Amino acid sequence: MAVVLGYFVKSIQNYIDGRFTPGKTEFADVNPADGTTIAQVAEADAQQVDEAVYAARQAQHGEWGCLSVRERAARLHRVADAIEKRFACFVQAEVADTGKPVSLASRLDVPRAAANFRVFADLVKMAGLESFQTETADGAQALNYAVRKPLGVVGVITPWNLPLLLLTWKVAPALACGNTVVVKPSEETPATATLLAEAIEEAEIPGGVYNVVHGFGPGSAGEFLSQHPDVNAITFTGESRTGAAIMKSVAPTVKPISFELGGKNAAIVFADCNFDETVKGLSDAVFLNTGQVCLCSERLYVERKIFDSFVDALKVQAESLHAGWPGDEKTDLGPLISAQHREKVLSYYKLAHEEGATVVTGGGIPTFGDARDRGFYVQPTIYTGLSESARCVKEEIFGPVCHIAPFDSEEEAVAKANDTRYGLAASIWTSNLKRGHRVAQQMNVGITWVNCWFLRDLRTPFGGVGLSGIGREGGIHSLNFYSELNNICIRL
Ligand code: NAD
């Protein structure tokens, strides 16, 4: 692919119809740890997006569309093998693009990418469909059964926070169902989607099945893809307001959409929780990936009896996190993704002051005395004392920050947790399992954890309520989104 320097991709190209292709314009891929440019990225124009969609259409009608489910599944396992073979290369590219700690990319992002291909390869072979023996009122007999067919060409638009993990979460089931894809990774993190093309080639998946177009959203590759009349469905992960813009651009061509959007997730901590495990669990839930996970908890509600001791303990935990170079195994906290995103997070740190927050810890920018001072780091931050109507409590910040508020009753905690237009995830921390079940079932979200966070089984439904998304992916839900079901009725 293009020019590869050691593990490092210096020139990142589009990948159309099985070929790496330059663009007419380029943009810079910036390392968030020190602000240096690590690669030039080819921007796809409208004509190249057209070519990618055309190639995907041809490939869907060609060999790929005719393969047996068994053979498709075998090739997807080979993609997983090829990712594992290039493990270090994927880790290094993901770390350079995102600034996330190497320990995180090695234990989460890259293994999950391989797992996504394996899980959906196995699942598509096992997935059955319903059938009915039908008897009508006038005595006619029939057999109804459904068959699964591909949608055709799927447009995949993804964000920067877990670039490879979230891309493969959509590409794997789309391919498993016999579709072809045109993917538009985030402009901030173009590398691993491009590296994946090498794994796809090695797995002998024909040219045109997996295409990558680089660029931005409005007036660029993202919008060209979402409004393209020959794309049969759009699957998108990103901000809620981007989802709203994409909804508008897909409307004239009426196509299925699956949206995984933002969150303002709550955690409810009861006094009977296992205190140490809860502090550790919520430290991860607030600060993992520098708070840039859609599932992160930005609102913590803690029973008043343990409020002060919990705030003190989370402060200790936050201050023990090591902000370092992403490539250092000891680093817990990397930078934010970009200068622009840091401006956004810092604007909320300023707003928190204006809204009357008490700063428990953080609230600023760390200094290192080296090149990291040109990177996009912020301090892990905890606030208390804000009203529930404060913008910092209502709006997604997407940084290493939370607000902690006390509660006195279960009803109050549930009402506060649900008082949001988002509805992605929640976590409940209690040793009373009966209460755990009871409260979990009242959460107005797509996923609730009890005494854990981010523990995922890829077969389970995943998605959001309200501003957090439309539809569910995961397991059979992904297979159903990426398929057309054709019901066949046979008169007996
Ligand atoms: P974003 O919405 O800014 O961008 C996501 C992708 O959409 C990028 O590839 C971007 O180029 C593209 N895009 C932007 N405008 C577009 C347009 N008008 N038409 C077509 N494409 C367009 O999101 P981001 O900043 O990359 O990611 C962070 C957001 O993603 C947060 O809100 C986070 O909560 C959310 N997220 C949600 C989930 C989930 O599973 N629910 C997972 C990860 C991230």
Side-chain angles (χ1 to χ4, degrees):
M1 76 174 291
V3 183
V4 179
L5 203 71
Y7 286 132
F8 239 54
V9 184
K10 292 294 275 185
S11 160
I12 297 175
Q13 304 203 334
N14 299 303
Y15 184 71
I16 299 171
D17 202 11
R19 282 184 294 277
F20 290 99
T21 316
K24 294 193 186 85
T25 51
E26 291 188 333
F27 60 94
D29 183 14
V30 172
N31 180 349
D34 59 11
T36 54
T37 295
I38 47 177
Q40 289 298 323
V41 188
E43 184 178 3
D45 62 10
Q47 191 191 333
Q48 287 177 309
V49 174
D50 247 5
E51 286 164 13
V53 173
Y54 180 77
R57 169 74 56 216
Q58 295 300 105
Q60 211 277 317
H61 288 155
E63 183 197 342
W64 186 248
C66 301
L67 283 185
S68 67
V69 172
R70 198 184 167 81
E71 181 55 30
R72 271 202 318 261
R75 304 234 185 146
L76 296 186
H77 272 294
R78 276 189 246 156
V79 177
D81 295 342
I83 293 172
E84 284 159 357
K85 194 170 126 189
R86 293 168 173 73
F87 190 86
C89 189
F90 273 105
V91 167
Q92 192 140 348
E94 201 72 311
V95 168
D97 258 5
T98 59
K100 68 177 64 198
V102 65
S103 58
L104 183 61
S106 316
R107 81 169 186 273
L108 175 68
D109 299 74
V110 181
R112 180 72 70 78
N116 283 335
F117 281 99
R118 295 205 191 283
V119 163
F120 288 108
D122 290 342
L123 206 66
V124 75
K125 285 192 295 184
M126 306 285 294
L129 285 167
E130 53 203 358
S131 69
F132 300 95
Q133 298 260 16
T134 308
E135 196 176 332
T136 63
D138 62 2
Q141 306 260 339
L143 174 66
N144 275 282
Y145 67 95
V147 291
R148 193 180 287 289
K149 298 170 73 179
L151 293 165
V153 177
V154 178
V156 180
I157 303 177
T158 49
W160 45 258
N161 62 326
L162 303 163
L164 182 67
L165 183 158
L166 291 170
L167 182 99
T168 52
W169 169 244
K170 291 173 177 299
V171 168
L175 297 188
C177 292
N179 302 285
T180 55
V181 296
V182 179
V183 310
K184 209 301 278 172
S186 169
E187 55 274 31
E188 307 285 0
T189 52
T192 46
T194 315
L195 275 176
L196 185 63
E198 289 187 359
I200 295 266
E201 275 183 7
E202 190 172 302
E204 291 175 53
I205 291 182
V209 171
Y210 175 80
N211 303 274
V212 185
V213 289
H214 290 295
F216 303 84
S220 182
E223 193 174 59
F224 301 150
L225 183 61
S226 63
Q227 67 188 14
H228 201 291
D230 292 332
V231 170
N232 299 97
I234 289 286
T235 179
F236 166 71
T237 303
E239 275 196 44
S240 304
R241 67 170 168 221
T242 310
I246 291 178
M247 254 180 131
K248 273 195 195 152
S249 62
V250 301
T253 51
V254 190
K255 56 188 71 153
I257 48 167
S258 174
F259 281 179
E260 297 178 334
L261 308 178
K264 187 72 184 178
N265 309 304
I268 302 179
V269 180
F270 289 97
D272 65 1
C273 70
N274 179 319
F275 189 84
D276 292 342
E277 281 180 13
T278 304
V279 171
K280 175 71 188 71
L282 282 175
S283 173
D284 284 347
V286 176
F287 301 118
L288 191 85
N289 206 34
T290 315
Q292 302 167 117
V293 179
C294 54
L295 304 164
C296 275
S297 309
E298 292 191 2
R299 298 181 296 140
L300 275 47
Y301 298 101
V302 178
E303 196 166 354
R304 196 176 299 277
K305 271 182 266 182
I306 61 162
F307 181 78
D308 289 339
S309 49
F310 181 87
V311 171
D312 290 346
L314 198 66
K315 174 180 192 287
V316 169
Q317 196 71 31
E319 289 173 356
S320 73
L321 295 171
H322 176 62
W325 285 105
D328 181 345
E329 288 285 349
K330 292 194 297 299
T331 294
D332 301 307
L333 272 187
L336 294 171
I337 188 69
S338 63
Q340 192 190 8
H341 187 53
R342 183 164 77 165
E343 280 312 303
K344 176 187 160 188
V345 171
L346 289 175
S347 76
Y348 279 100
Y349 284 11
K350 183 164 169 273
L351 181 65
H353 278 280
E354 291 161 10
E355 291 185 315
T358 301
V359 184
V360 176
T361 187
I365 298 173
T367 49
F368 298 98
D370 59 29
R372 283 171 293 177
D373 292 336
R374 292 191 291 278
F376 314 129
Y377 289 83
V378 293
Q379 290 173 329
T381 297
I382 300 173
Y383 295 118
T384 56
L386 286 171
S387 90
E388 284 300 299
S389 60
R391 280 182 52 206
C392 288
V393 178
K394 287 279 171 254
E395 297 173 12
E396 183 185 47
I397 302 173
F398 218 54
V401 53
C402 70
H403 177 251
I404 317 181
F407 70 84
D408 294 300
S409 70
E410 187 178 307
E411 295 69 29
E412 180 193 352
V414 169
K416 284 181 167 166
N418 280 338
D419 185 16
T420 171
R421 295 185 66 210
Y422 290 100
L424 189 56
S427 63
I428 317 294
W429 303 81
T430 176
S431 57
N432 178 343
L433 258 194
K434 201 168 165 184
R435 173 156 60 193
H437 284 287
R438 186 171 63 232
V439 174
Q441 290 181 26
Q442 293 175 76
M443 291 293 100
N444 193 19
V445 294
I447 182 164
T448 306
W449 283 284
V450 177
N451 296 327
C452 57
W453 174 78
F454 209 3
L455 200 166
R456 294 277 294 119
D457 181 323
L458 305 182
R459 297 167 299 182
T460 59
F462 182 86
V465 170
L467 284 185
S468 292
I470 297 178
R472 293 290 180 274
E473 296 198 39
I476 193 73
H477 308 280
S478 294
L479 299 187
N480 287 345
F481 175 74
Y482 294 105
S483 312
E484 291 290 4
L485 301 185
N486 177 4
N487 188 72
I488 295 167
C489 177
I490 311 276
R491 176 82 188 255
L492 297 176

